[in-house]
Amino acid sequence: MLDSLIVPLFVTTDLPPDADLAGFGELLAETVRELGDGYPGSLAGRVFWLDRPVLPEQRPAAEGELRFAGMLGHLTATGPGHTVREVVGDVRRAVGAAVTARYGDVGVAPAVFAIRDQDVRERTPDTALPLHTATSTLSHL
């Protein structure tokens, strides 16, 4: 049996205004299939917009303004000897490269943080869209 490490994660990034939230979730889920030195990963969670609050007279948002997206979920890294710090660093590099490849330079690299499991459960908005790596064993989210 292979060892697995489960890491609760929060991922945030700016996206172009025409970006599709479900497409962003798919990108994250597929990006973690192979991490670091080739160990497999899978992701289960939810993606959502973290738009700034605006008054009704400020709508619609300025055309061309970046939108802030987030993901809360659980990453499973399979294989022995991984640390949370190593896995989060590998995810950060992989997600940064994937976001840049898909959306171009949005001005800042995506942020990837290990968080508490309780935060994933309590802070995920009800309106968030589900995502999971096709082979994920964490489909209960």
Side-chain angles (χ1 to χ4, degrees), residues 10-140:
F10 178 44
V11 177
T12 63
T13 192
D14 286 326
L15 295 176
D18 60 345
D20 174 60
L21 190 58
F24 173 62
E26 291 171 11
L27 177 69
L28 292 178
E30 293 306 309
T31 296
V32 302
R33 282 184 172 279
E34 187 173 317
L35 296 167
D37 58 357
Y39 62 93
S42 63
L43 183 63
R46 294 177 162 262
V47 291
F48 47 92
W49 292 117
L50 287 164
D51 289 329
R52 66 181 171 85
V54 295
L55 298 172
E57 62 269 14
Q58 294 173 312
R59 291 191 179 122
E63 201 170 306
E65 184 176 304
L66 295 174
R67 295 189 74 187
F68 197 45
M71 187 284 308
L72 287 164
H74 295 88
L75 174 93
T76 301
T78 305
H82 300 295
T83 66
V84 170
R85 173 173 265 171
E86 172 187 76
V87 169
V88 170
D90 289 343
V91 171
R92 186 176 291 124
R93 284 184 287 281
V95 168
V99 166
T100 299
R102 166 89 51 97
Y103 303 107
D105 182 6
V106 292
V108 64
V112 178
F113 303 98
I115 59 173
R116 299 177 312 150
D117 181 60
Q118 181 177 347
D119 288 329
V120 173
R121 291 190 311 270
E122 293 177 355
R123 298 181 185 271
T124 303
D126 293 337
T127 58
L129 301 177
L131 71 94
H132 63 88
T133 305
T135 60
S136 176
T137 58
L138 296 173
S139 59
H140 65 279

